[in-house]
Amino acid sequence: DLQDGTSDEHSVTPEVMFSCVDVMSDEGSEEIQKFLKSEGVHKFDVIFVFSVSMWIHLHHGDAGLSRFLDKCSQISRFILLEPQPWKCYQTAARRMRKLGLEEFPMFSQLKLRGPTLEPGILEFARSHGMKVVNNFGETKWKRKLVLFQSDQCETDQVVLTPLKPNN
């Protein structure tokens, strides 16, 4: 039930299903593999990573972010990534301080920070066999949208067609 939050799986249509899984845990990885197997596939066509890479980075550090991107490259043909800029990290840390809460566990240890953040994320992706297929520019929040293709997938031809605005 979406309203009381008791269900971890939600189906919009028979073709689209959302499931809440901690991809950083062994249990989450097992759940993902179980789902893929139940669908008779080895990989997702695309994984959308909107507004979550920062949280993985803050809670799991540079190594955790690298591990996350590696997992994505292994289980998906494409990854559409919206990395948050460093100012979002600073805002999140400031909110924690204002609320009197503990600092994010890995914040002070992050090597990818400031101007090295975005190039570092792109390098992590490349080091895990992903190549940039397209850079779609920025969202209204000034965040980039980058489409990666895993080199572990078949070498399918990718055709990107710009969307026309609705009139």
Side-chain angles (χ1 to χ4, degrees), residues 38-99:
S38 76
E39 295 295 312
V41 296
H42 300 286
K43 294 178 179 256
F44 294 103
D45 289 321
V46 64
I47 293 176
F48 298 93
V49 184
F50 296 129
S51 302
V52 297
S53 60
M54 175 183 78
W55 301 107
I56 291 169
H57 198 194
L58 287 170
H59 288 278
H60 298 276
D62 294 329
L65 180 59
S66 179
R67 193 170 66 250
F68 169 73
L69 292 170
D70 183 44
K71 286 182 179 197
C72 287
S73 75
Q74 291 177 31
I75 62 170
S76 185
R77 296 176 56 231
F78 297 93
I79 298 97
L80 184 59
L81 179 66
E82 178 198 40
Q84 290 99 319
W86 182 247
K87 70 177 186 168
C88 292
Y89 286 65
Q90 293 171 309
T91 300
R94 190 170 38 255
R95 282 187 190 137
M96 294 295 275
R97 286 190 301 273
K98 280 184 178 181
L99 292 171

Side-chain angles (χ1 to χ4, degrees), residues 23 31 68 98 104 136 158:
V23 297
E31 188 69 26
F68 169 73
K98 280 184 178 181
F104 290 104
F136 292 104
V158 179

Side-chain angles (χ1 to χ4, degrees), residues 6-65:
T6 57
S7 174
D8 286 345
E9 289 187 5
H10 307 289
S11 181
V12 177
T13 70
E15 297 83 23
V16 178
M17 186 177 81
F18 296 91
S19 185
C20 182
V21 177
D22 178 0
V23 297
M24 299 303 291
S25 71
D26 291 340
E27 296 83 14
S29 293
E30 289 171 17
E31 188 69 26
I32 290 167
Q33 289 304 318
K34 182 177 155 186
F35 174 79
L36 290 170
K37 187 176 180 180
S38 76
E39 295 295 312
V41 296
H42 300 286
K43 294 178 179 256
F44 294 103
D45 289 321
V46 64
I47 293 176
F48 298 93
V49 184
F50 296 129
S51 302
V52 297
S53 60
M54 175 183 78
W55 301 107
I56 291 169
H57 198 194
L58 287 170
H59 288 278
H60 298 276
D62 294 329
L65 180 59

Side-chain angles (χ1 to χ4, degrees), residues 138-151:
E138 293 184 344
T139 67
K140 67 179 181 179
W141 297 284
K142 305 290 185 213
R143 297 180 187 164
K144 294 187 177 186
L145 284 176
V146 183
L147 180 65
F148 293 95
Q149 180 178 10
S150 171
D151 70 1

